[in-house]
Amino acid sequence: MTRMATSGAVRRLLAPDPASVVASVVALVVAWWRTVVLAVWAAGWFAALAVHGGGSWHFFATGGRVLADLDDGTTAGLHVYAEHPLLQIGPVALGLAWALPQLSAGHGLLAAEALGTASGAAVVVLVHGIDARLRRQRGAAARKGAEGPLLLATLCFTPVWLYAAISSAHLDDVLALTFCVIALSCVLSDHPVWAGVAVAAAVDSKPWALPVTVVLLALPGLRSRAIGVGAAVVGVTAGWLPFFVADPQTIRAMHYTIVNRPLSRLHLLDPRAARTPFWDRPLQTAIGLVLGGVAVWRRRTTGVLLLVMASRLALDPGTNRYYTAGLAAGALLWDVAGSRRRWPWWSLTVVLALHLARWVPALDPLHGPAMIAFAVAAAGVILVGGRRPRSLLDPETGATPWRRSAGAPWRRRRRPSPAPAGSAARRP
């Protein structure tokens, strides 16, 4: 019915009668009102944030120029990370940071902001597509009255994402998160090569995405998992190995530290550390891998991104506001395609308690404890929550790494008791 109304409205747009044009526009708005609301909401945030946008773009502009300066064989090109270890940006993001100004007549920042906004729209479309695919696999119909909560989750996601994409202009985090969602979509549609390529692109954009590789274990069958992991290994190796071969001092970028901020979660756990402890980054990666692996084992793969981001931020010495974009993407994915709750409580918590609250100075002392509490709650609900989540793949089809119902404990199968001696089998 909606398609017929929309096609009729489009046909009337070609009519010269002004009344028909107005009626067609009204019909289109009615048929696509949610899209219109989201577009207006995103445009408003884009306009508000772009006024003072690009807070970190100078890192990308400088890094892109240094990477492209192949004439300097000692301090530029493949030596970029050895000479500038503060550039904690993956080669994919650095290469794109150089290409965007070339493709936009010198307007690199505006192009990056537009790309970040488009990436956010792609994440929303992919998440809703993941939810639809999961429902088709289970043979379940759409939930009644779900349009409102889904719209609310997207409205919560938009300002947090656009802050990272526009106000901070952190192209690397935007790309890494987008590729993480693409990887899950490819896993769900059983495309192991593209899933591995997407995971590699995420890691090549921002190294913190490494724990998300566990989603490849959700591919159906050992062969598909091996192909996906192999593609990811090849992609990550191709992205990073040339820098280490050209300059072994590239390893300096792996040991770069930042100030342990008083408001950070790490400062609560280790207040004596002035900068990033040597054990912090490996521990963040290990915890993300473990939590993500357990989520896949529990067939709650749609919660992997939220677990990885929450565990990372719970141990991070930094307190940058754009960090919450990863939480917003993970919360959107879990609220829409994972949780059985009607309302997007995780998305609401991220935008209200962890993002907007950062602009209230009186709440600053609560930021560290709130982030730790959020990470613990996310792990508890996603991994051991009592309510049965939406399965990633249907166990009846065999398209799942572990053949058991989501959230159900392992039970020993009972052997059928032998029939009494002399008894005859009853026939229907």
Side-chain angles (χ1 to χ4, degrees):
M1 184 64 69
T2 302
R3 291 182 178 177
M4 294 177 62
T6 303
S7 60
V10 173
R11 287 195 299 269
R12 286 194 296 273
L13 277 175
L14 303 178
D17 186 9
S20 299
V21 174
V22 173
S24 301
V25 172
V26 172
L28 286 173
V29 171
V30 171
W32 298 92
W33 69 270
R34 296 182 186 86
T35 304
V36 172
V37 169
L38 290 174
V40 172
W41 178 252
W45 280 104
F46 186 99
L49 295 172
V51 175
H52 302 288
S56 300
W57 180 246
H58 59 283
F59 291 112
F60 296 87
T62 301
R65 287 195 301 267
V66 174
L67 177 65
D69 187 8
L70 301 180
D71 294 334
D72 190 343
T74 58
T75 61
L78 295 178
H79 302 269
V80 58
Y81 294 113
E83 296 298 325
H84 305 275
L86 79 162
L87 293 176
Q88 300 290 295
I89 305 169
V92 169
L94 275 186
L96 193 57
W98 171 82
L100 287 177
Q102 315 304 319
L103 300 174
S104 59
H107 300 285
L109 174 58
L110 182 59
E113 292 173 341
L115 177 61
T117 304
S119 298
V123 168
V124 172
V125 172
L126 286 169
V127 168
H128 286 259
I130 288 172
D131 178 54
R133 184 180 293 272
L134 290 175
R135 293 186 181 282
R136 288 196 300 270
Q137 287 181 347
R138 297 193 316 272
R143 291 178 294 176
K144 294 182 179 180
E147 293 81 4
L150 294 180
L151 178 63
L152 179 59
T154 309
L155 292 176
C156 293
F157 165 80
T158 301
V160 186
W161 180 273
L162 291 183
Y163 182 85
I166 299 174
S167 185
S168 295
H170 262 269
L171 184 63
D172 51 351
D173 290 88
V174 166
L175 291 174
L177 291 169
T178 304
F179 284 127
C180 286
V181 179
I182 292 175
L184 179 58
S185 180
C186 293
V187 167
L188 186 61
S189 57
D190 191 16
H191 291 99
V193 174
W194 290 114
V197 170
V199 167
V203 178
D204 291 345
S205 298
K206 194 75 169 181
W208 60 247
L210 182 61
V212 182
T213 55
V214 296
V215 300
L216 299 175
L217 298 179
L219 286 164
L222 182 61
R223 180 174 179 272
S224 294
R225 285 172 235 158
I227 292 175
V229 172
V233 171
V234 171
V236 173
T237 303
W240 288 98
L241 185 60
F243 297 92
F244 287 92
V245 172
D247 195 334
Q249 292 302 314
T250 298
I251 199 171
R252 293 176 57 196
M254 300 178 62
H255 301 293
Y256 183 76
T257 62
I258 62 176
V259 176
N260 189 12
R261 301 291 181 182
L263 298 182
S264 69
R265 288 68 61 186
L266 183 62
H267 189 270
L268 290 176
L269 303 176
D270 190 0
R272 295 177 297 178
R275 300 183 69 86
T276 311
F278 71 93
W279 48 265
D280 185 55
R281 299 306 186 192
L283 184 61
Q284 285 177 313
T285 303
I287 293 179
L289 287 169
V290 171
L291 293 179
V294 174
V296 173
W297 175 64
R298 295 276 288 169
R299 294 182 53 241
R300 302 181 180 194
T301 311
T302 49
V304 168
L305 183 58
L306 182 58
L307 290 173
V308 169
M309 296 307 305
S311 61
R312 170 180 173 259
L313 296 187
L315 292 172
D316 204 273
T319 57
N320 294 315
R321 291 167 176 170
Y322 73 87
Y323 286 176
T324 50
L327 294 177
L332 176 70
L333 181 58
W334 178 250
D335 280 332
V336 173
S339 175
R340 285 289 188 177
R341 303 289 179 183
R342 178 178 180 182
W343 296 100
W345 297 112
W346 293 99
S347 296
L348 286 168
T349 302
V350 170
V351 69
L352 295 177
L354 299 179
H355 185 69
L356 295 180
R358 292 299 310 281
W359 279 266
V360 182
L363 299 178
D364 283 348
L366 301 177
H367 180 66
M371 187 64 251
I372 294 177
F374 182 89
V376 173
V381 170
I382 295 175
L383 299 182
V384 297
R387 299 197 69 177
R388 182 177 177 178
R390 300 168 208 169
S391 306
L392 177 65
L393 296 172
D394 188 355
E396 297 299 328
T397 65
T400 180
W402 293 277
R403 296 176 60 85
R404 67 186 185 96
S405 60
W410 292 103
R411 293 186 178 92
R412 181 180 298 176
R413 294 185 178 179
R414 295 182 179 180
R415 295 181 180 179
S417 55
S423 62
R426 296 183 180 180
R427 295 183 179 179

